[in-house]
Amino acid sequence: MAEIVVIGAGVAGLAAAYHAGQAGYEVKVFEARERWGGLLDHFTVEDFRFDHGVHFAFSSNDQFRALLGRTDYLTHKPEPYNYDRGRWLKHPVQNNLYPLPVADKIEAIKSFLERPPQTDTHNHYRQWLVQQFGEVITTRFPARYTEKYWTVSAEKLSTEWVGDRFYCPSLDEVLLGAMSDRTPQTYYLREMLYPRCGGFRAFLDPLIPGLDLQLNSKVVRIDTEKRYVELGNGKREYYNLLVSSVPLPELISILNFTPVSVSEAAASLWATSAALVSLGFARPEAGEHLWFYIYDRDICASRAHAPYRKAPENAPSGHSSLQFEIYYSRHKALPSSPEGLVEQVIAAAEAMQLAPRSAVKVADYRILPYANVVFDLGMTAKRDHALEFVRKCGIIPVGRFGLWDYLWSDQSYLSGSRITERFHML
Ligand SMILES: Cc1cc2nc3c(=O)[nH]c(=O)nc-3n(C[C@H](O)[C@H](O)[C@H](O)COP(=O)(O)OP(=O)(O)OC[C@H]3O[C@@H](n4cnc5c(N)ncnc54)[C@H](O)[C@@H]3O)c2cc1C
């Protein structure tokens, strides 16, 4: 019997366990995988370290920044780029159209001027995009990217996830960015942090000492009346308080009882998965950019980054590395086999003049089953219905997939650390 059981040793579960432990409670963490860290974990292939996708740390929250401050880190300026048919545009494209042919820029600016008036409510994400940027920019850039990254068209999405992720420029800014490449940085973050050694996961190291953390321990059933979790090997652990970072639809499916309306709501929720193709090169440079977005439809990856630029320690001396993210879901299958995707990415890296095929030293392929929860129209009402039931069962859902939200690592951490507000339930 543990006072508090936490399911999942990603940043959300670890934060909950750490803060409960600091408050003197007896806590047990069960993690399905053989390693802790969840999405913030990494893997190594012949001395090349790769995170699970881009991963930088940023936060305005003091508690999270204090955690980051316990690790030696490097600071990067966020200067992403966009690749479109052989051209590299600064990010965001809407106020950095400079590299485009003049005729394309005229069309984009005319359409920006003719954009429909802003409204407070939107039928879908595409409508919002057109109101901000006009039809031409929308069609050429974010709508095309949406199909690659979110795996459905922008008409199918709501805007509840958008927040401050997009820069909405004035006419002057669009004009300046079309005429000059000397534009101010307008990305929504000012700096991004990354551990000097040990990959992104090193930021979580301070949470681990003293934790009762059981790896290879997948929770397969939860009895919320008798208050126990059951592991794959049949072992039961009784609890007073249960914290779960299990993806919400999976959590619902392992509860001892669920009303039909809740099962139906949970079954309608879906997330994208990501196939990661990670390449290590026997040469010191691979392209010029820390991370970039790829708009071309005939390149399967939507985003890529350079792990060796995040921290030199991520690659052997004199070597470089890139990781490409290819998204798929129940609405869009992967375009090829694992070998086919690796081959496509190596060919794309060469075509984009990032690195020649002859320099590839290691190539790795792996899957992230849960990448981004998808805000298709009507999703949040169904999610909230499922969450309400989970909370009624006395479970505290945390994290990106436990809360089924588009959370960054700091928000996932905070969702776990807020367990301190729930101690009255004990
Ligand atoms: C490609 C990509 C790039 C990102 N880039 C950034 C970035 O640059 N900056 C940033 O701040 N955030 C970024 N994020 C978001 C960040 O990764 C997440 O917010 C955070 O890692 C989520 O942590 P979590 O603990 O909620 O979930 P997870 O990391 O998914 O952890 C959940 C854990 O629960 C375990 N688990 C699940 N079911 C069970 C079960 N039944 N029994 C036992 N264990 C179970 C899983 O194995 C996993 O370890 C990115 C996300 C992705 C996908």
Side-chain angles (χ1 to χ4, degrees), residues 7-13 30-33 37-40 52-58 217-219 245-247 250 254 303 325 327 368 370-372 398-401 407-410 412:
I7 315 179
V11 62
F30 294 109
E31 166 55 49
R33 293 178 66 242
L39 271 178
L40 302 185
H52 291 151
V54 172
H55 281 113
F56 287 101
F58 44 85
S217 299
K218 181 168 180 168
V219 171
S245 62
V246 179
E250 281 191 39
I254 60 173
R303 192 165 67 174
E325 301 165 20
Y327 288 90
L368 299 180
Y370 287 92
N372 296 308
V398 297
R400 178 178 254 230
F401 306 108
L407 303 185
W408 297 120
S409 58
D410 61 332
S412 298

Side-chain angles (χ1 to χ4, degrees), residues 143-209:
R144 201 148 44 110
Y145 189 74
T146 298
E147 286 170 20
K148 294 181 76 175
Y149 185 78
W150 293 108
T151 74
V152 288
S153 69
E155 285 91 344
K156 296 252 177 356
L157 301 181
S158 73
T159 53
E160 288 150 308
W161 56 278
V162 169
D164 58 2
R165 287 181 169 87
F166 284 84
Y167 189 69
C168 298
S170 65
L171 174 61
D172 282 5
E173 287 172 305
V174 173
L175 290 173
L176 175 69
M179 294 179 209
S180 164
D181 60 356
R182 296 172 69 182
T183 50
Q185 205 269 90
T186 54
Y187 193 62
Y188 61 96
L189 300 170
R190 290 285 160 260
E191 60 173 22
M192 311 183 95
L193 316 183
Y194 189 82
R196 189 179 295 277
C197 299
F200 191 103
R201 188 178 93 145
F203 277 138
L204 309 187
D205 283 346
L207 304 178
I208 302 301

Side-chain angles (χ1 to χ4, degrees), residues 6 96 142:
V6 175
N96 287 294

Side-chain angles (χ1 to χ4, degrees), residues 106-326:
I106 290 174
E107 248 204 292
I109 294 167
K110 268 169 46 189
S111 148
F112 182 80
L113 287 168
E114 287 159 10
R115 68 197 191 282
Q118 309 257 345
T119 52
D120 289 337
T121 53
H122 310 95
N123 295 331
H124 47 68
Y125 173 46
R126 189 175 210 290
Q127 188 185 39
W128 181 86
L129 286 170
V130 173
Q131 286 181 8
Q132 311 309 313
F133 312 127
E135 188 65 42
V136 169
I137 292 176
T138 295
T139 305
R140 179 155 180 178
F141 294 105
R144 201 148 44 110
Y145 189 74
T146 298
E147 286 170 20
K148 294 181 76 175
Y149 185 78
W150 293 108
T151 74
V152 288
S153 69
E155 285 91 344
K156 296 252 177 356
L157 301 181
S158 73
T159 53
E160 288 150 308
W161 56 278
V162 169
D164 58 2
R165 287 181 169 87
F166 284 84
Y167 189 69
C168 298
S170 65
L171 174 61
D172 282 5
E173 287 172 305
V174 173
L175 290 173
L176 175 69
M179 294 179 209
S180 164
D181 60 356
R182 296 172 69 182
T183 50
Q185 205 269 90
T186 54
Y187 193 62
Y188 61 96
L189 300 170
R190 290 285 160 260
E191 60 173 22
M192 311 183 95
L193 316 183
Y194 189 82
R196 189 179 295 277
C197 299
F200 191 103
R201 188 178 93 145
F203 277 138
L204 309 187
D205 283 346
L207 304 178
I208 302 301
L211 272 196
D212 184 347
L213 171 55
Q214 310 211 355
L215 302 173
N216 294 310
S217 299
K218 181 168 180 168
V219 171
V220 295
R221 206 173 98 78
I222 301 171
D223 191 319
T224 54
E225 277 155 31
K226 299 195 178 107
R227 290 179 170 249
Y228 66 77
V229 300
E230 189 172 306
L231 305 181
N233 62 8
K235 189 176 160 253
R236 290 177 181 177
E237 185 73 40
Y238 287 82
Y239 62 82
N240 282 332
L241 192 66
L242 181 61
V243 177
S244 165
S245 62
V246 179
L248 186 57
E250 281 191 39
L251 176 70
I252 296 290
S253 74
I254 60 173
L255 296 180
N256 58 314
F257 165 76
T258 316
V260 174
S261 69
V262 173
S263 305
E264 285 176 355
S268 74
L269 305 177
W270 60 282
T272 57
S273 306
L276 301 178
V277 175
S278 310
L279 304 177
F281 300 103
R283 60 187 237 146
E285 298 294 343
E288 293 172 16
H289 307 301
L290 185 56
W291 91 95
F292 48 93
Y293 306 93
I294 306 168
Y295 292 80
D296 302 37
R297 286 205 174 93
D298 58 352
I299 299 178
C300 55
S302 357
R303 192 165 67 174
H305 79 279
Y308 76 104
R309 289 187 186 278
K310 288 200 289 193
E313 196 248 358
N314 279 339
S317 166
H319 292 65
S320 55
S321 51
L322 293 171
Q323 186 184 67
F324 294 79
E325 301 165 20
I326 305 157

